[in-house]
Amino acid sequence: MVNGVRMNGAAPLDRPARPVAGTAKRAAPLDVQPQSTVAALAAQVAPIDTSRVAAIRAGIADGSYRVDPDAIAARMIEDDLPPR
């Protein structure tokens, strides 16, 4: 019953609906990492070439940076497909 109106001719419930067995989802436990572990993981990341980043930003700003969609697509396929 919604606002006093019966839905699909069904009688209104006089109790709250219960979840169907096996459908309730449990929250996944949070993986809380100590700060030292986070710092160790961050140290494993490849270094950032700040001069290359600056050159790309400048190229984007002045309109000289060109995107090669074929090269991007080829690299995406190469990264995702298993070696033959």
Side-chain angles (χ1 to χ4, degrees):
M1 184 176 275
V2 176
N3 295 332
V5 178
R6 260 181 212 204
M7 301 297 294
N8 299 329
L13 293 176
D14 59 352
R15 60 178 165 65
R18 291 180 287 165
V20 175
T23 61
K25 293 183 180 179
R26 294 184 183 170
L30 296 176
D31 284 336
V32 179
Q33 301 289 329
Q35 195 161 7
S36 61
T37 304
V38 173
L41 290 172
Q44 294 175 1
V45 176
I48 297 171
D49 185 348
T50 55
S51 62
R52 183 168 183 223
V53 171
I56 292 171
R57 284 185 178 175
I60 292 170
D62 68 17
S64 65
Y65 182 79
R66 298 288 177 232
V67 175
D68 183 356
D70 293 330
I72 293 170
R75 183 62 188 258
M76 290 173 68
I77 291 168
E78 178 184 315
D79 286 347
D80 287 340
L81 292 179
R84 291 181 184 214

